[in-house]
Amino acid sequence: MFDPIAALTEYIRQPSVSTDPAYAVGMEGARRHLVSLLDSMGLGVEVIATAHHPVVLARREGPASWPHVIIYGHYDVQPPDPLNLWTSPPFEPETRGNRIFGRGAADNKGPQLVHIAAAARLIEEHPDLPLRLTFLVEGEEEIGSPSFSGFLSAHHDILAGDMVLLSDTLSPSSRRIAITTGLRGVLALEVELIGPRMDLHSGIHGGAVLNPLQALVDICSSLHDREGRVNIPGFYDDVIPVPDWERQEVMRLGFSIEEYRNLTGVKSIHTVDGISPHEATRFAPTLEFNGIGGGYQGEGSKTIIPHRASAKITCRLVPNQDYETILKRVAATLQERCPAAVEMTIKEGGGGGPYRVVPPGRPDTPTEQSEVLVRAFGAADRAIEQVFGERPLYLREGGSIPVIEELRRVLGMDSLMIGMFTPEDNLHAPDESMDLALYEKGIEVSQRILSQLADTT
Ligand code: BES
Ligand code: MN
């Protein structure tokens, strides 16, 4: 019998941080745990090497007439630091109240196990279930999935399913569930400015040499206008209007400034044209500084003109914006605004384009949607209403899962995404947790969806 709580606890115990080679053993541990879970379900499991972290692939095969669902997840997690802000150690899962705490509990170990547990229960109850399943669990999501394109091209034959099912997105709360209809794309850049050959005495040279930190903050501060819009020629050119039905879904979500302030700890909200944060984060592209550095950062003061300065920048992109086009526009603007006295280099840090899926029955639903996807959306709507007592909201999200657009572009598959984490879960932050009641109800929802997909009568 598949024990979902034991499976999750053991999974969180594996420190699978993809960005830091020091965690290689944890990555290996997470793969082993997954392999043993999927193997115990009677599936054919493979661990497939890539240029970086291997992919875990498990298949339940069957005749071509059976629907084929690809279930996606990622076994890698974000780094746990700052460690001193955790109530219990990040890789020693602890249950407090109705939540299990640990790095990766919500992003993405718990939500991913929702579908694995659902399939396990279903297969146990109906060993001859007419449904093909492929579990595709990657280990590079948190670092921008650098190997995924190559992996898809190499294995497109076995990954050619009818649709993708996943839970790696947000719901408004553990009682109000969202079906995610879009993701923003993300484009990461690292900009470096080099000034003098080495740090210089600012008394001897100050006034004669352009300080690269000054040049950098000048350039950075030019990238937004006074109203907070991104000030890069052409940045918004390809953004298309959001249909009414999507705005109405966001209205159903409701909004309280007070709640938003409590959640984030900010003094006031800060959006272009004062639109609500729910719309700003879902419908608009952004440019953010994730880190700026250079010069002396230690105790006290040090009178220097630093040798170098650098900034990490990411843009979030919305549907119809093209990754390559925006990359060119941002890079060209940075170069243009760089004074001749310093040398600029720009490194692309990876990412991917935005994604949007229109659920069946909307004014802008495409006519050529896969029949299995259409049934899955219907089944999800009913299952969520039955299990949670309220129909789902249909919302885009501000976060990114670049591989989802890739799966559509390369394999023509759309995704049904069910939000299984909430704003209280502290994703990418200390004290990350997963709500165990949501976990159990999620399994029930997924089981109903999969069972209806198998029922072709
Ligand atoms: N699960 C998140 C994506 C997400 C977050 C979707 C919030 C919806 C709401 C995912 O694991 C993630 O954090 N992705 C990164 C992608 C980046 C590293 C390429 C992100 O969005 O920053
Ligand atoms: Mn995730």
Side-chain angles (χ1 to χ4, degrees):
M1 265 268 285
F2 194 98
D3 178 346
I5 305 276
L8 178 54
T9 309
E10 190 52 32
Y11 205 7
I12 297 170
R13 215 182 288 287
Q14 313 304 320
S16 47
V17 178
S18 51
T19 195
D20 183 348
Y23 288 96
V25 173
M27 292 294 283
E28 169 76 38
R31 285 192 295 274
R32 275 219 200 109
H33 179 57
L34 261 180
V35 168
S36 92
L37 289 176
L38 293 162
D39 181 70
S40 75
M41 293 161 59
L43 308 181
V45 193
E46 284 170 274
V47 176
I48 303 177
T50 70
H52 300 271
H53 300 297
V55 170
V56 177
L57 196 81
R59 301 201 285 155
R60 180 171 197 273
E61 294 178 82
S65 58
W66 294 3
H68 184 188
V69 180
I70 310 290
I71 296 180
Y72 167 85
H74 61 90
Y75 65 85
D76 63 324
V77 302
Q78 286 275 318
D81 54 281
L83 287 172
N84 60 320
L85 295 183
W86 285 80
T87 307
S88 52
F91 299 111
E92 293 172 28
E94 188 171 287
T95 305
R96 297 195 291 276
N98 207 19
R99 287 182 167 272
I100 185 161
F101 288 81
R103 169 59 84 231
D107 188 6
N108 168 244
K109 289 176 173 172
Q112 166 195 157
L113 285 182
V114 158
H115 302 291
I116 296 179
R121 284 187 188 169
L122 206 56
I123 296 168
E124 231 165 74
E125 284 169 27
H126 308 280
D128 41 11
L129 188 79
L131 186 64
R132 286 181 290 162
L133 293 170
T134 297
F135 293 89
L136 168 63
V137 189
E138 67 156 321
E140 301 179 352
E141 199 279 342
E142 300 291 2
I143 53 169
S145 305
S147 308
F148 203 78
S149 288
F151 178 83
L152 276 195
S153 325
H155 301 277
H156 63 96
D157 46 338
I158 56 173
L159 292 171
D162 296 300
M163 59 168 284
V164 182
L165 172 65
L166 67 140
S167 286
D168 193 22
T169 54
L170 194 72
S171 274
S173 78
S174 44
R175 271 152 283 110
R176 300 183 77 193
I177 300 306
I179 288 180
T180 304
T181 56
L183 297 161
R184 288 197 285 189
V186 63
L187 183 168
L189 290 174
E190 220 171 312
V191 189
E192 184 179 54
L193 292 190
I194 302 292
R197 192 180 317 115
M198 62 186 112
D199 290 358
L200 300 177
H201 191 295
S202 65
I204 300 174
H205 299 284
V209 169
L210 177 62
N211 184 320
L213 272 171
Q214 182 189 337
L216 181 71
V217 295
D218 262 354
I219 296 166
C220 287
S221 72
S222 80
L223 298 177
H224 296 88
D225 67 16
R226 285 297 170 120
E227 281 73 47
R229 283 188 194 80
V230 178
N231 180 30
I232 289 173
F235 189 78
Y236 293 99
D237 279 5
D238 304 319
V239 177
I240 45 176
V242 175
D244 281 343
W245 73 264
E246 284 200 76
R247 290 202 187 277
Q248 281 159 16
E249 286 290 324
V250 173
M251 310 255 248
R252 272 180 70 200
L253 178 55
F255 170 66
S256 142
I257 292 189
E258 207 42 45
E259 254 175 52
Y260 196 74
R261 283 172 37 191
N262 286 339
L263 183 73
T264 57
V266 295
K267 285 196 245 172
S268 58
I269 63 165
H270 184 84
T271 60
V272 174
D273 296 330
I275 63 170
S276 95
H278 289 323
E279 294 214 0
T281 56
R282 288 177 166 79
F283 299 151
T286 62
L287 181 148
E288 303 283 353
F289 304 107
N290 310 120
I292 296 187
Y296 181 66
Q297 305 283 339
E299 282 299 311
S301 73
K302 187 181 185 203
T303 47
I304 54 161
I305 299 166
H307 160 64
R308 66 177 289 281
S310 65
K312 290 182 191 275
I313 298 176
T314 49
C315 294
R316 296 277 173 178
L317 310 179
V318 296
N320 206 49
Q321 280 186 302
D322 174 58
Y323 179 94
E324 295 295 334
T325 308
I326 300 293
L327 172 62
K328 279 197 203 104
R329 288 179 185 158
V330 176
T333 301
L334 289 167
Q335 288 288 6
E336 248 162 53
R337 294 182 191 170
C338 180
V342 290
E343 190 69 45
M344 175 182 279
T345 49
I346 301 174
K347 260 201 319 212
E348 183 195 352
Y355 175 76
R356 180 167 181 249
V357 59
V358 185
R362 310 293 148 150
D364 51 345
T365 308
T367 43
E368 71 284 3
Q369 250 170 6
S370 120
E371 176 261 342
V372 176
L373 182 82
V374 171
R375 286 202 289 128
F377 266 93
D381 191 278
R382 287 189 297 278
I384 289 168
E385 182 170 24
Q386 286 158 356
V387 174
F388 288 88
E390 196 186 323
R391 288 190 54 200
L393 293 146
Y394 289 84
L395 298 169
R396 292 191 205 178
E397 275 309 319
S400 309
I401 314 171
V403 302
I404 299 304
E405 170 59 21
E406 196 78 0
L407 284 163
R408 163 150 65 197
R409 205 175 48 76
V410 181
L411 296 174
M413 288 186 289
D414 269 309
S415 291
L416 171 61
M417 301 184 270
I418 305 175
M420 280 290 138
F421 51 69
T422 74
E424 295 80 47
D425 295 353
N426 288 8
L427 263 68
H428 296 199
D431 281 351
E432 179 178 348
S433 68
M434 169 94 198
D435 180 321
L436 291 171
L438 176 57
Y439 185 50
E440 187 47 53
K441 284 180 170 175
I443 296 171
E444 179 64 39
V445 165
S446 175
Q447 201 177 336
R448 286 175 191 234
I449 296 169
L450 294 175
S451 113
Q452 290 199 28
L453 287 178
D455 179 12
T456 43
T457 53

